[in-house]
Amino acid sequence: MRGAYVLALVFPSMAAAGPFDGLYRPNYDWALAWDCESVGVDGGALAVEGDTLRAVENTCTLTEPVEIRDMEAVLYDAACLGEGGASEGRIMLMSHDFGLYVIRDGFVLDWIACEGE
């Protein structure tokens, strides 16, 4: 137990890779030209890295993961900071064959994985 505490102090920025880690772009015709390289900017990639979700001019820290039974999905508490200020809420990430659904109260975003683009 003490060893884990020491490692947390020595490596505080090391986040475990999550099941959704990767680069994505919106899976819509209007986003076909997005570059999958410039993370977090309009026309660039969207990313999930450990406990961080990065979208266009918006970054969310994901905490309190709850796996959804019988689905490839995890529900998180999210603290987000972006151009419009700070916000909090819930975000569910759910894998599909070609990428990821990002689900918030009232809407679903479809992100396609950048691998193979």
Side-chain angles (χ1 to χ4, degrees):
M1 179 91 139
R2 179 189 271 177
Y5 178 73
V6 170
L7 285 175
L9 289 175
V10 174
F11 301 107
S13 63
M14 285 182 59
F20 308 107
D21 282 8
L23 295 177
Y24 303 88
R25 69 165 176 80
N27 191 16
Y28 305 101
D29 289 343
W30 52 262
L32 290 174
W34 284 40
D35 72 23
C36 280
E37 293 177 15
S38 307
V39 177
V41 300
D42 195 20
L46 311 165
V48 177
E49 301 164 321
D51 65 352
T52 303
L53 182 145
R54 293 175 51 192
V56 177
E57 298 178 5
N58 189 38
T59 300
C60 298
T61 300
L62 306 174
T63 60
E64 303 298 326
V66 176
E67 291 188 30
I68 307 301
R69 183 181 61 243
D70 297 328
M71 299 173 68
E72 291 183 43
V74 178
L75 179 64
Y76 298 93
D77 288 339
C80 304
L81 186 58
E83 188 176 299
S87 65
E88 293 186 1
R90 307 274 284 179
I91 294 177
M92 184 180 348
L93 301 181
M94 183 169 65
S95 295
H96 63 71
D97 288 342
F98 303 103
L100 183 66
Y101 294 118
V102 179
I103 304 163
R104 295 193 79 170
D105 187 24
F107 65 94
V108 176
L109 300 172
D110 185 2
W111 291 3
I112 190 166
C114 286
E115 297 89 42
E117 292 256 322

